């Protein structure tokens, strides 16, 4: 066997050995503890939140029938989706004049800010929970011995709790506005051809908002998960230990004072 072949085999084995050592070093039983189990739920529901919002697409529409016999019934279908910049979504409004055929129109409103904030927060939560799980499962001794890690974890958990509440509430309000702007009645109200007597407009396809509604629900579930995890992370911080030590010291002092009074 040549030295080149042995070197290549050693190079192939080294990454595998590193992965094996990493997997062997993981303490999977810590997932049965509340701190580890809730982090898995946070990771999972973060995927559900940004996945359901970021992958949404809907369709609204209307029909326009001109009183002019030369014009046929025109069906309007408008597709929209994440990031919900509706003012950039175009559709063609039919005209009942003989000289012109259609006019380019846009939907109303720009609701990208709450939607993008919601999705971005979900992605950051996804990556943070992965890093926290690796630290908790593989380097738990370092997590418990170094006081900075629990403090940082607690501060980040509180921050994510606040941001999830804001993001879920803002996206819920934004989704309500999206529903109002994409209703077929809103579409016909924005078309000038429907305001005259030369055409009859009817509501078309109503957009299905089931996936978007679920994304808001996932947002509030993430808020409750992060809020509930604050207590379990707080128990790992030195602040929790100081509170218990102060309580025990006060109880010991009161017992000593009571004993002194009884002796007198």
């Amino acid at each position: 066997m040549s030295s080149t072949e042995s070197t290549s085999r050693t190079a192939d084995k080294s990454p595998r050995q590193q992965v094996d050592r990493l997997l062997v070093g993981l303490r999977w039983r810590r997932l049965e503890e509340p701190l580890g189990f809730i982090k898995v739920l946070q990771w999972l529901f973060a995927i559900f939140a940004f996945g359901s919002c970021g992958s949404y697409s809907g369709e609204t529409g209307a029909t326009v029938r001109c009183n002019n016999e030369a014009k046929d019934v025109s069906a309007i279908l408008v597709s929209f989706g994440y990031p919900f910049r509706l003012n950039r979504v175009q559709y063609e409004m039919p005209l009942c004049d003989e000289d012109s055929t259609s006019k380019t129109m846009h939907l109303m409103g720009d609701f990208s800010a709450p939607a993008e904030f919601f999705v971005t927060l979900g992605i950051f939560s996804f990556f943070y929970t992965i890093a926290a799980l690796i630290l908790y499962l593989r380097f738990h001794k370092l997590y418990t011995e170094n006081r900075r890690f629990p403090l940082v974890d607690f501060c980040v958990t509180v921050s994510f709790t606040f941001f999830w509440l804001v993001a879920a509430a803002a996206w819920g309000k934004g989704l309500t506005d999206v529903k109002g702007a994409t209703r077929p009645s809103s579409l016909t109200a924005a078309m000038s051809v429907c305001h005259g007597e030369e055409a009859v407009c009817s509501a078309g396809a109503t957009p299905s908002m089931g996936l978007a509604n679920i994304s808001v629900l996932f947002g509030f579930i993430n808020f409750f998960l992060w809020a509930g995890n604050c207590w379990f992370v707080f128990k790992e911080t030195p602040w929790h230990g100081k509170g218990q030590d102060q309580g025990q010291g006060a109880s010991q002092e009161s017992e000593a004072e009571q004993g002194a009074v009884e002796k007198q």
Side-chain angles (χ1 to χ4, degrees), residues 138-214:
R138 182 64 177 85
F139 308 101
H140 187 265
K141 186 177 180 180
L142 181 63
Y143 182 85
T144 54
E145 292 180 353
N146 194 333
R147 296 182 177 182
R148 293 182 179 180
F149 286 112
L151 289 175
V152 171
D153 191 17
F154 176 71
C155 294
V156 173
T157 301
V158 172
S159 300
F160 270 109
T161 301
F162 172 75
F163 287 137
W164 270 117
L165 177 61
V166 174
W171 172 226
K173 175 62 170 59
L175 180 59
T176 302
D177 296 336
V178 170
K179 291 178 180 178
T182 57
R183 284 197 303 261
S185 58
S186 299
L187 190 65
T188 56
M191 293 189 295
S192 58
V193 70
C194 299
H195 297 165
E197 298 180 355
E198 67 271 11
V200 177
C201 299
S202 303
T206 301
S208 176
M209 293 291 184
L211 188 62
N213 292 330
I214 292 175

Side-chain angles (χ1 to χ4, degrees), residues 9 13 19 27 32 36 38 41 43 50 78-79 84 91 107 127 140 143 153 163 181 188 207 219 256 261:
R9 290 187 177 181
K13 289 182 179 179
V19 173
R27 300 293 184 265
E32 299 176 0
I38 293 179
L41 292 179
W43 172 78
F50 73 77
V78 186
S79 299
F84 302 99
Y91 64 94
L107 295 178
F127 285 114
H140 187 265
Y143 182 85
D153 191 17
F163 287 137
T188 56
V261 171

Side-chain angles (χ1 to χ4, degrees), residues 40-91:
V40 174
L41 292 179
Q42 290 173 342
W43 172 78
L44 188 64
F45 278 96
I47 298 175
F48 292 159
F50 73 77
S52 57
C53 180
S55 63
Y56 175 81
S57 62
E59 194 175 74
T60 185
T63 57
V64 178
R65 186 182 64 185
C66 295
N67 294 329
N68 186 359
E69 295 180 357
K71 298 279 187 175
D72 297 331
V73 177
S74 301
I76 303 172
L77 291 177
V78 186
S79 299
F80 63 95
Y82 179 84
F84 302 99
R85 293 188 178 92
L86 302 183
N87 56 353
R88 298 184 182 181
V89 179
Q90 298 181 357
Y91 64 94

